[in-house]
Amino acid sequence: MPLSALELFIALAAVAVALDFLARKLATPRPVVLAAGGLLLGIALRGVPGLPALQVDPQTSLDIVLPPLLAVAAFRVPLGAFRASLRPITLLAVGLVLATMAGVAAVAHAIVPGVTWAAGWVLGAVVAPPDPVAATTVGRGLGLPNRLVTILEGEGLVNDAGALVTYQLAVAAVVTGVFSWQHAGLEVVRSVPVGVLTGLAVGWATAFIRRRVDDVMIETAVSLLLPYVAYLLAERLGGSAVLSVVAFGFFIRRRATEIGTPATRLVSRTVWQAIDFVTGGLVFILVGLELGRVVAAGLSGPLIAQAAVVSAAAIAIRLGWTYFVPHVVRMVTREPRESMLTMAELTVLGWSGMRGVVSLALALAIPMQTAAGEPFPARHALVTIALVVVLATLLGQGLTLAPLVRALGLADPDASKRQEHEARTAAVEAGRACIDRRAADRELAPDVHGRLVERLGQDVGLTAANGDGREAALPGGHEVVEVLLEALECERAAILRLRDDGRLNEESAASLEAELDLDELTLRGDAGQLAAQ
């Protein structure tokens, strides 16, 4: 008997938590362990009599998990570093996606019986967008250069949009038997600006609402709801739902300190971390589950060979692109060699093409029939090959990425600690400069100024405990508190500047921001507000 939706969610979430614990024990990338566990679960559910059936609708799953994952990813990407790396991100998210579609379509058309050119483009669109979660998870743990992590994250934010639009056009061409380049061009031209403008409009509305609401729970609930609004509204308007959520996330990130109180930011940050953990776990469990079903159903030898060739083609196209195209661009634009990624970084970038939930959902959403009532050309082969590509890249590349990073000398486990130390130093200097300016304007008595500067010590925040662990008394009255709040903002600005420039990773920046939010709550006398939530 099939499980209900609630039972299914609870069961998969429990499995995801258990596998995450196992991944930590094995020191293995979380997405890889989750997908492997889902694979074994899918095989068991198909092969063991008496076990309940797990029936998951791919489109529904995509609509549920994609908006929060995109919102979190957009919120994490440093905007300044994203703009600085816009060229390589665009080359990967647009150029490489199109090259992968064309290459995979050609290979599939050549070696898989019954796959027309249009059906080959459908398969190409399915396997073109890599899921950067596994790569960035490994990268952060090993201390990959921030620029490389930013490129991977930026690629993951943008490439889904192009792949989804092309997929819809290719499916329509197969189903209707008609394809118009003019219609396809107009669809792309329309979907991108409509999606971006929708996301910005929802972001503006969110900021407008949250500036006028002073309730932690309501603001947190609004922050959870609005990514879905941006996603679904863009779909209704015919725009790119992916770009809508990305634009929404960018807009809110730039205004995060303007539209929320410190208590709201602390609570929302914790809630979103939990949601990111659960949805990320469910994504890779679902990937493995569907792969397990296919494996349990049995695969023919010729189909396995064809899938292996397509998987190798997809991997080779990405590696060839990352090695060749940047050098062509450098020669055309005369970009200085020192500003380019090194060969080691290009190798890691090329090997970070693991496929995930988007490829899974698109594969399973391929229609059963054409408009004429005929079977969709080679649908079983297309779905099976796509799932094998996901398996080959996610497990094969996911398990070997960390050893490759270490072998190339790019692993720097102490990078995060070093960046955080440098950020703390820069923040303290910014806060001290702020207090010094107020003292120079004779707004602080000399003894108060000295006590405040001494209070800064060597750490961010102005309300830290003293040496014996007890909170030291703050000097002065209302005027001094105003000075301290201004110094906190100077510290926050220094941290965010380093983050947006790509010199401080997101985890360290979030930790430092949380410290400043707690300090601000204490200074304003609102610490009880957080405890009451």
Side-chain angles (χ1 to χ4, degrees), residues 488-509:
L488 281 180
E489 289 308 309
C490 291
E491 291 189 327
R492 190 190 307 277
I495 291 169
L496 292 180
R497 187 161 50 249
L498 291 173
R499 173 193 177 275
D500 287 341
D501 290 344
R503 291 183 287 166
L504 177 66
N505 63 59
E506 171 60 27
E507 289 79 6
S508 297

CSV table of all heavy atoms in Angstrom, one decimal, residues 488-509:
chain,number,residue,atom,x,y,z
A,488,LEU,N,29.0,49.4,15.8
A,488,LEU,CA,28.5,48.0,15.3
A,488,LEU,C,28.2,48.0,13.8
A,488,LEU,O,28.6,47.1,13.1
A,488,LEU,CB,27.3,47.6,16.1
A,488,LEU,CG,27.5,47.0,17.5
A,488,LEU,CD1,26.2,46.6,18.1
A,488,LEU,CD2,28.5,45.8,17.5
A,489,GLU,N,27.6,49.1,13.4
A,489,GLU,CA,27.3,49.1,11.9
A,489,GLU,C,28.5,49.3,11.1
A,489,GLU,O,28.6,48.7,10.0
A,489,GLU,CB,26.3,50.3,11.7
A,489,GLU,CG,24.9,50.1,12.2
A,489,GLU,CD,24.3,48.8,11.7
A,489,GLU,OE1,24.3,48.5,10.5
A,489,GLU,OE2,23.9,48.0,12.5
A,490,CYS,N,29.5,50.0,11.6
A,490,CYS,CA,30.8,50.1,10.9
A,490,CYS,C,31.5,48.7,10.8
A,490,CYS,O,32.0,48.3,9.8
A,490,CYS,CB,31.7,51.1,11.6
A,490,CYS,SG,31.2,52.8,11.5
A,491,GLU,N,31.4,48.0,11.9
A,491,GLU,CA,31.9,46.6,11.9
A,491,GLU,C,31.2,45.7,10.9
A,491,GLU,O,31.8,44.9,10.2
A,491,GLU,CB,31.9,46.0,13.3
A,491,GLU,CG,32.8,46.7,14.3
A,491,GLU,CD,32.8,45.9,15.6
A,491,GLU,OE1,31.8,45.3,16.0
A,491,GLU,OE2,33.9,45.9,16.2
A,492,ARG,N,29.8,45.8,10.9
A,492,ARG,CA,29.0,45.0,10.0
A,492,ARG,C,29.4,45.3,8.6
A,492,ARG,O,29.5,44.5,7.7
A,492,ARG,CB,27.6,45.2,10.3
A,492,ARG,CG,26.6,44.3,9.6
A,492,ARG,CD,25.2,44.7,9.7
A,492,ARG,NE,24.8,44.9,11.0
A,492,ARG,CZ,24.4,43.9,11.9
A,492,ARG,NH1,24.4,42.7,11.5
A,492,ARG,NH2,24.0,44.2,13.1
A,493,ALA,N,29.5,46.6,8.3
A,493,ALA,CA,29.8,47.1,6.9
A,493,ALA,C,31.2,46.5,6.5
A,493,ALA,O,31.3,46.1,5.3
A,493,ALA,CB,29.8,48.6,6.8
A,494,ALA,N,32.1,46.5,7.4
A,494,ALA,CA,33.5,45.9,7.0
A,494,ALA,C,33.4,44.4,6.7
A,494,ALA,O,34.0,43.9,5.8
A,494,ALA,CB,34.4,46.1,8.2
A,495,ILE,N,32.6,43.7,7.5
A,495,ILE,CA,32.4,42.3,7.3
A,495,ILE,C,31.7,42.0,6.0
A,495,ILE,O,32.1,41.1,5.2
A,495,ILE,CB,31.7,41.6,8.5
A,495,ILE,CG1,32.5,41.6,9.7
A,495,ILE,CG2,31.2,40.2,8.1
A,495,ILE,CD1,31.8,41.3,11.0
A,496,LEU,N,30.6,42.7,5.7
A,496,LEU,CA,29.9,42.5,4.5
A,496,LEU,C,30.7,42.9,3.3
A,496,LEU,O,30.5,42.3,2.2
A,496,LEU,CB,28.6,43.3,4.5
A,496,LEU,CG,27.5,42.8,5.6
A,496,LEU,CD1,26.3,43.7,5.5
A,496,LEU,CD2,27.2,41.4,5.3
A,497,ARG,N,31.5,43.9,3.4
A,497,ARG,CA,32.4,44.3,2.3
A,497,ARG,C,33.3,43.2,1.9
A,497,ARG,O,33.5,42.9,0.7
A,497,ARG,CB,33.1,45.6,2.6
A,497,ARG,CG,33.9,46.2,1.5
A,497,ARG,CD,34.2,47.6,1.8
A,497,ARG,NE,34.8,47.9,3.1
A,497,ARG,CZ,34.2,48.5,4.1
A,497,ARG,NH1,33.0,49.0,3.9
A,497,ARG,NH2,34.8,48.6,5.3
A,498,LEU,N,33.9,42.6,2.9
A,498,LEU,CA,34.8,41.5,2.7
A,498,LEU,C,34.1,40.3,2.1
A,498,LEU,O,34.6,39.6,1.2
A,498,LEU,CB,35.5,41.0,4.0
A,498,LEU,CG,36.5,42.0,4.6
A,498,LEU,CD1,37.0,41.5,5.9
A,498,LEU,CD2,37.7,42.1,3.7
A,499,ARG,N,32.9,40.0,2.6
A,499,ARG,CA,32.1,38.9,2.0
A,499,ARG,C,31.7,39.2,0.6
A,499,ARG,O,31.9,38.3,-0.3
A,499,ARG,CB,30.8,38.8,2.9
A,499,ARG,CG,29.8,37.7,2.3
A,499,ARG,CD,28.5,37.9,2.9
A,499,ARG,NE,27.6,36.9,2.3
A,499,ARG,CZ,26.9,37.1,1.2
A,499,ARG,NH1,27.0,38.3,0.6
A,499,ARG,NH2,26.0,36.2,0.7
A,500,ASP,N,31.2,40.4,0.3
A,500,ASP,CA,30.8,40.6,-1.1
A,500,ASP,C,32.0,40.7,-2.1
A,500,ASP,O,31.8,40.4,-3.3
A,500,ASP,CB,30.0,42.0,-1.2
A,500,ASP,CG,28.7,41.8,-0.5
A,500,ASP,OD1,28.2,40.7,-0.4
A,500,ASP,OD2,28.1,42.9,-0.2
A,501,ASP,N,33.2,41.0,-1.6
A,501,ASP,CA,34.3,41.0,-2.4
A,501,ASP,C,34.9,39.6,-2.6
A,501,ASP,O,35.9,39.4,-3.4
A,501,ASP,CB,35.4,41.9,-1.9
A,501,ASP,CG,35.1,43.4,-2.0
A,501,ASP,OD1,34.1,43.7,-2.7
A,501,ASP,OD2,35.7,44.2,-1.3
A,502,GLY,N,34.3,38.6,-1.9
A,502,GLY,CA,34.8,37.2,-2.1
A,502,GLY,C,36.0,36.9,-1.2
A,502,GLY,O,36.6,35.9,-1.4
A,503,ARG,N,36.3,37.8,-0.2
A,503,ARG,CA,37.5,37.5,0.6
A,503,ARG,C,37.1,36.9,2.0
A,503,ARG,O,38.0,36.6,2.8
A,503,ARG,CB,38.2,38.8,0.9
A,503,ARG,CG,38.9,39.4,-0.4
A,503,ARG,CD,39.7,40.6,0.0
A,503,ARG,NE,38.8,41.8,0.2
A,503,ARG,CZ,39.2,42.9,0.7
A,503,ARG,NH1,40.4,43.1,1.1
A,503,ARG,NH2,38.3,43.9,0.8
A,504,LEU,N,35.8,36.6,2.2
A,504,LEU,CA,35.3,36.0,3.4
A,504,LEU,C,34.2,35.1,3.0
A,504,LEU,O,33.2,35.5,2.3
A,504,LEU,CB,34.8,37.1,4.4
A,504,LEU,CG,34.2,36.5,5.7
A,504,LEU,CD1,35.3,35.8,6.5
A,504,LEU,CD2,33.6,37.7,6.5
A,505,ASN,N,34.3,33.8,3.4
A,505,ASN,CA,33.3,32.8,3.0
A,505,ASN,C,32.0,33.1,3.7
A,505,ASN,O,31.9,33.7,4.8
A,505,ASN,CB,33.7,31.4,3.1
A,505,ASN,CG,34.0,31.1,4.6
A,505,ASN,OD1,33.2,31.1,5.5
A,505,ASN,ND2,35.3,30.6,4.9
A,506,GLU,N,30.9,32.5,3.2
A,506,GLU,CA,29.5,32.8,3.7
A,506,GLU,C,29.4,32.3,5.2
A,506,GLU,O,28.8,33.0,6.0
A,506,GLU,CB,28.5,32.2,2.8
A,506,GLU,CG,27.1,32.2,3.4
A,506,GLU,CD,26.5,33.6,3.6
A,506,GLU,OE1,27.0,34.5,2.9
A,506,GLU,OE2,25.7,33.8,4.5
A,507,GLU,N,29.9,31.1,5.5
A,507,GLU,CA,29.8,30.6,6.8
A,507,GLU,C,30.4,31.5,7.9
A,507,GLU,O,29.8,31.8,8.9
A,507,GLU,CB,30.4,29.2,6.9
A,507,GLU,CG,29.6,28.1,6.2
A,507,GLU,CD,29.9,28.1,4.7
A,507,GLU,OE1,30.8,28.9,4.3
A,507,GLU,OE2,29.2,27.4,4.0
A,508,SER,N,31.6,32.0,7.6
A,508,SER,CA,32.2,32.9,8.6
A,508,SER,C,31.5,34.2,8.7
A,508,SER,O,31.4,34.8,9.8
A,508,SER,CB,33.7,33.1,8.2
A,508,SER,OG,34.4,31.9,8.2
A,509,ALA,N,31.1,34.7,7.5
A,509,ALA,CA,30.3,36.0,7.5
A,509,ALA,C,29.1,35.9,8.3
A,509,ALA,O,28.7,36.8,9.1
A,509,ALA,CB,30.0,36.4,6.1
